[in-house]
Amino acid sequence: LADLDIEYNNVRAALRYALDSDSSSLALRLVGALRWFWTQRSHISEGYDWVTAALAKSDTSSDAPARAKALWCAGVLAWLRGEAVAATLLSDSAAIWRTLGDKRGLAYSLQHLGLVALWQGDHEKVLSLEMESLSLFHEEGDRFGESLALLCMAQVASQSGDPENEGRWLGQCVQIARETGDTWVLALALRNLGRKAISRGEFALARPILEESIRLFSEMGTKHE
C-alpha cells in the first residue's frame, strides 16, 4: 500500500491507457487488483469511477475471472458509498464465480453481500451468507477470509442483542488475526471489542484494547477508521 501511495499517479496513467486503448481485460484486471488500495487509502469515489468505467468498456464475453473480481470491487465501493446497486454488483460477481467453480472468489463476494444485508437490516440473510462464505474460506484455507466472515457475524450478534455469540465470534476473529499477523482485521476486531466493553461500562478494560486498535490503524496509514 505504501508503494502504491508513491506510484499512484503512474497507476492512474496505466488505468487511463487501458481504457483509452480499449484493452478491457487489462482494465478489469487493474481495477480488481486495486480494490484493497482504494478502500484502505480512502479513494472510494475515485476508485468507483475507475471500476465502473472499466466495466462499461467490457461485456459478458470478457475475461470472466477479471470481470468477476472487478464486479466485486465495484460492489464493495458502491456499498461504502451507500448505493443500493452494491447488491446487484456483488450478486453478479458471485454468479460468475459459481459458474467458474471458484470457491475463494465466491466466498469474498458472498462475504460482502452479507455486509450489504447487514446494512439493510436483514440479519437472517446476513448469517446465511456469512456462514456459507465461512465454510468456503475454510475449505480454501483462507484464514483472512474466515476472520472477515466472523467479524460480520459478530456485528449481527451485536445488533441482535446476542452478547454471547458476539464475544465468541470476535474472540475467534482476534485469535486468527494474531496468528496470521493481520493487523487490519485485528484493529477492527479490537475496536469492536473496545466498544463492547464501553457499552458495559467497563472503561478500564476498554482503554488498552482501543489504544491498541488506534495504534494499529495509525501504523497502517488507514484513514477511514
Side-chain angles (χ1 to χ4, degrees), residues 170 174 178 186-198 200 202-217:
L170 277 176
V174 168
R178 291 200 188 280
L186 178 59
L188 287 171
L190 290 172
R191 179 198 64 183
N192 291 355
L193 278 172
R195 288 175 175 174
K196 180 177 172 64
I198 286 174
R200 298 192 303 262
E202 297 174 346
F203 304 114
L205 176 63
R207 185 183 182 92
I209 294 173
L210 291 172
E211 284 177 343
E212 182 180 3
S213 176
I214 292 169
R215 176 179 59 79
L216 291 170
F217 280 129

Side-chain angles (χ1 to χ4, degrees), residues 69-98:
K69 194 170 183 179
L71 284 164
W72 167 66
C73 175
V76 173
L77 294 169
W79 171 73
L80 287 168
R81 285 162 54 95
E83 299 191 15
V85 72
T88 300
L89 293 165
L90 290 164
S91 295
D92 289 348
S93 173
I96 296 174
W97 291 128
R98 284 193 193 278

Side-chain angles (χ1 to χ4, degrees), residues 31-191:
V31 296
L34 287 165
R35 179 269 196 246
W36 290 104
F37 173 71
W38 280 329
T39 55
Q40 294 303 309
R41 291 301 196 257
S42 295
H43 298 295
I44 308 302
S45 292
E46 182 184 1
Y48 186 71
D49 289 342
W50 284 116
V51 72
T52 51
L55 286 166
K57 285 276 188 177
S58 68
D59 54 44
T60 54
S61 64
S62 300
D63 182 343
R67 184 171 178 79
K69 194 170 183 179
L71 284 164
W72 167 66
C73 175
V76 173
L77 294 169
W79 171 73
L80 287 168
R81 285 162 54 95
E83 299 191 15
V85 72
T88 300
L89 293 165
L90 290 164
S91 295
D92 289 348
S93 173
I96 296 174
W97 291 128
R98 284 193 193 278
T99 300
L100 294 172
D102 189 315
K103 294 180 180 180
R104 187 168 183 267
L106 175 60
Y108 276 100
S109 293
L110 292 176
Q111 190 275 321
H112 224 94
L113 269 172
L115 287 174
V116 173
L118 182 65
W119 171 41
Q120 296 169 337
D122 190 341
H123 292 168
E124 185 176 341
K125 185 177 181 180
V126 179
L127 286 178
S128 174
L129 288 165
E130 295 301 334
M131 290 298 289
E132 184 179 0
S133 71
L134 183 63
S135 176
L136 291 167
F137 283 132
H138 185 71
E139 286 182 43
E140 294 297 294
D142 189 331
R143 303 205 74 204
F144 170 70
E146 287 184 57
S147 68
L148 291 178
L150 287 164
L151 193 62
C152 187
M153 289 161 61
Q155 286 181 269
V156 174
S158 175
Q159 293 185 12
S160 302
D162 183 1
E164 184 177 346
N165 275 325
E166 180 188 6
R168 178 164 65 90
W169 288 329
L170 277 176
Q172 291 176 18
C173 183
V174 168
Q175 181 181 349
I176 292 173
R178 291 200 188 280
E179 288 174 357
T180 59
D182 191 295
T183 52
W184 180 64
V185 172
L186 178 59
L188 287 171
L190 290 172
R191 179 198 64 183

